[in-house]
Amino acid sequence: MSTAAAAERLRVIKGHLENGKLDANKGEKRFRFTLKSHPLLTEADRIFYEENGYVVVRNLLPHQLLDKWSQRFRDICDEKVDKGRITLMKDLSLAKTGVTGERLYNKIQDFMWDEVLYEFIAYPELCDLIECFVGPNMNAMHTMLINKPPDAGSETSRHPLHQDLHYFPFRPADKIVCAWTAMERVTRDNGCLVVLPGTHRGMLLPHEYPSWENGVNKMYHGIVGFDGHNRMHLPMEKGDTVFFHPILIHGSGANRTKGFRKAISCHYAASECHWIDVKGTTQQSIADEVEELAKKRGVTLDIQDIWKYRSRLVRGNEINL
């Protein structure tokens, strides 16, 4: 993409931000992205989320549970327990090095049926906060435990700037939220999250694999033309949780330390959300890729059925999802 085209995309997003500024005199009407307050999500926090598309709640998850879930991750990687429906993903830079276990896998997905890791998804205080964003009926739609490896010099441990809605064939976007918890201290050195505040008020943009010299991990799609723009880094302490909107542009840097950086996350959606047809849209490429991967594993399903298979009701009533 040309510099001019990238600049035009950013101009469009900035226009959406300007058009969506909050009016402090409108009371509850100013809250589009949140539904209610909570002792851990004050009105000031809600206003911050409305303006920026993310908010951090400090020390939400107990350290002993995070340690328990870290051990579960290692046991799954070492094949000490049945992985069930969990998908294990290998970092591009490590796949051919001969390492095994925890050192080989940079991520596991779809752990909502694992009895131990489900404790994170259903943690009561976490779900109470999720209810402030999506309401009382909530489904877990996408789960990840991320094990960002020390970068081998290839910078494949980076995650390109992207919007999570790119992957989701359900709407509305405003009734979807991610909870992302640091399982240990997260810093700029080990690849903390970076966000472009306010971009949640924009639109879903086209994504593709970035043209990185040493390649890019599977499914790590990125927005074209945003690599050089200013970002807000989000260092976090163990147990801190950031909640963010699925249109917020975000990514993460390379892990330049010698240790792994773990985080655990779940995307929740109101079970009132509805399925959409992504054919002919910017999301068709990811749908085709996911459907092709499922076919290689002996399963012929369309993208909606794949996501239905991955979804689990966490609280309230099952309605559409």
Side-chain angles (χ1 to χ4, degrees), residues 76-300:
I76 291 168
C77 293
D78 291 333
E79 299 182 355
K80 292 181 179 179
V81 296
D82 183 8
K83 70 182 181 69
R85 301 187 190 182
I86 289 173
T87 299
L88 290 88
M89 303 180 69
K90 301 175 184 177
D91 184 86
L92 180 67
S93 66
L94 302 177
K96 297 180 180 180
T97 61
V99 298
T100 60
E102 178 187 18
R103 298 193 63 81
L104 176 60
Y105 298 106
N106 70 327
K107 184 187 298 185
I108 62 172
Q109 293 190 149
D110 305 324
F111 59 70
M112 64 273 290
W113 302 104
D114 182 89
E115 61 182 17
V116 176
L117 295 178
Y118 181 73
E119 293 173 1
F120 166 74
I121 300 170
Y123 187 70
E125 287 82 357
L126 177 61
C127 289
D128 288 346
L129 287 171
I130 294 298
E131 195 167 317
C132 298
F133 297 93
V134 306
N137 306 310
M138 64 185 73
N139 280 51
M141 303 300 295
H142 183 224
T143 51
M144 295 188 297
L145 197 157
I146 305 153
N147 185 48
K148 186 186 281 285
D151 197 89
S154 61
E155 295 201 319
T156 56
S157 65
R158 291 177 293 169
H159 200 301
L161 291 174
H162 64 284
Q163 297 162 300
D164 289 339
L165 193 67
H166 168 68
Y167 298 91
F168 301 155
F170 46 90
R171 297 292 190 276
D174 291 351
K175 290 297 179 285
I176 304 168
V177 70
C178 180
W180 192 102
T181 298
M183 301 185 78
E184 53 209 322
R185 175 175 287 179
V186 176
T187 67
R188 291 186 66 166
D189 287 338
N190 66 15
C192 67
L193 286 179
V194 294
V195 299
L196 274 63
T199 50
H200 66 305
R201 290 184 173 274
M203 64 186 75
L204 179 61
L205 298 171
H207 288 59
E208 61 184 48
Y209 282 111
S211 299
W212 289 350
E213 181 179 352
N214 295 303
V216 61
N217 285 314
K218 195 72 173 172
M219 303 291 179
Y220 277 32
H221 292 192
I223 300 170
V224 178
F226 277 85
D227 281 348
H229 289 284
N230 292 331
R231 313 167 189 193
M232 174 71 72
H233 291 81
L234 298 183
M236 297 165 63
E237 297 295 328
K238 183 175 181 178
D240 291 352
T241 301
V242 59
F243 298 85
F244 59 90
H245 191 278
I247 297 181
L248 181 74
I249 297 175
H250 67 287
S252 64
N255 181 358
R256 305 187 188 282
T257 70
K258 295 182 179 180
F260 287 80
R261 189 272 278 158
K262 288 185 177 62
I264 189 169
S265 71
C266 178
H267 280 87
Y268 299 82
S271 63
E272 293 89 344
C273 286
H274 60 272
W275 301 101
I276 64 165
D277 184 358
V278 301
K279 288 184 174 62
T281 74
T282 61
Q283 293 181 257
Q284 184 168 342
S285 62
I286 185 63
D288 291 344
E289 187 173 350
V290 171
E291 289 172 7
E292 182 60 31
L293 182 61
K295 190 177 297 184
K296 288 180 180 178
R297 295 175 176 174
V299 180
T300 302

